[in-house]
Amino acid sequence: MLKNIKHTFLSFLITSFCFAQVEEITPPDYIKSIYFNGGTTESQLPIIQLGQPLLLEFDVLNGDEEDYYYEIKHYNFDWTPSILVKSEYLEGFDEQRIRDYENSFNTLQIFSHYKVSIPNQYTKSIKITGNYIITIYDDYDDIVFSRKFMVYDQQANVGLQIKRSRDVTTIAEKQSVDITINSGQLQFVNPKQTIKTVIIQNNNLNTAITDLEPQYILGNELSYRYNDASSFYGGNEFLSFENKEIRAANSGVQYISLEDLYQTYLYTNTSRADLKYTYNPDINGNFFITALNSDKPEVEADYAWVHFALQYPEIKEDETIHVYGNFNNYQIEPQTALEHYQEEGVYSKAIKLKQGFYNYKYVIVDKDGNIDEHTIGGSFWQTENNYKVLVYYRELGTRYDKIIGLGEANSVGITN
């Protein structure tokens, strides 16, 4: 009881006095395979409809079987804490211990697999739409990691069209997102102030375009047809590998060896920036856990040291090359930084990953933390990408930003 009071008080202080935009907290190295989704087969940014279940799973590799707890908070459109009290957005209670966990079975890497789903017997439901963060913390009230998710209620129709860039200087590299919003249920009042949008490419919030104003308003229909403001670099198809059979080479895997754990050596990649675009099916940066001949891959899939290798000219001293993807929530971390082997002309890194199917790409990061996704992989207007648009609405007199619509489209049908 004292623990809950302490944690609630700390949460109150954070909510009351820290109105800066909240960022997700990166987990420590012993937390792996954070699998977060709202009904999809692969792990991706959960954008769920009101009333739809939410699932968060993760592995703890220290073998201590510690207790972990979860907390859910509501946020405004700009990821500042909302002024709502918990009872206004949650039915039931959070700050509960995660009771659903199992130890690994027949694996070289010992781990405990934790799972929490919403709703459950304590947290009955999420009552309203908006931005949320679920935070995992330990027995000492130390935050272990956090993840963002969104809840929407489809009160507006959100139409998307993916087009080539209207700027001739980037027409070969960029894709532009045109948006039309129409609602028969809501009467938009002062939409340039009350309606806000977020455009997300491939479930990556780091590159999202936010807060565009409607250019054209015709009654209750809003149109966004920007030349540049709503455009993304098309990038290239993600690279991928699969090691569901951990003892034998599979897709993208050159060879394997066994030490303390299995060592999975991928084929050496090269720059694709100067090559012609080639379609290669991917899952747009996401990943899923799978193991051959296993009914419960969550506890029976093993971990391996996956060796990434990139043949690439030497970069500047203040730059680094990283492996990038949803497997670590598109975060730039020391453990994803490739090391340069000058004699071989290769950048390489071993990352401990659970068996499964993974998408990844290589990015260059400068001294200021700016991420260049395209110098190594290239950028093409033909690239298949997934786009989602979330529409937020704060009615007059209300105290929070509702999400009133979700639109989704794929660039396969891109037009001029």
Side-chain angles (χ1 to χ4, degrees), residues 286-306:
N286 298 314
F287 74 98
F288 62 88
I289 303 302
T290 179
L292 199 65
N293 301 322
S294 171
D295 295 327
K296 294 187 69 176
E298 61 269 25
V299 292
E300 294 176 358
D302 210 339
Y303 277 81
W305 285 105
V306 179

Side-chain angles (χ1 to χ4, degrees), residues 20-51:
Q21 183 175 359
V22 175
E23 300 293 340
E24 292 171 308
I25 295 172
T26 302
D29 197 41
Y30 61 86
I31 301 290
K32 295 287 187 184
S33 306
I34 299 174
Y35 206 74
F36 198 19
N37 64 68
T40 56
T41 54
E42 68 267 9
S43 179
Q44 59 178 250
L45 173 69
I47 301 174
I48 61 172
Q49 196 156 10
L50 192 64

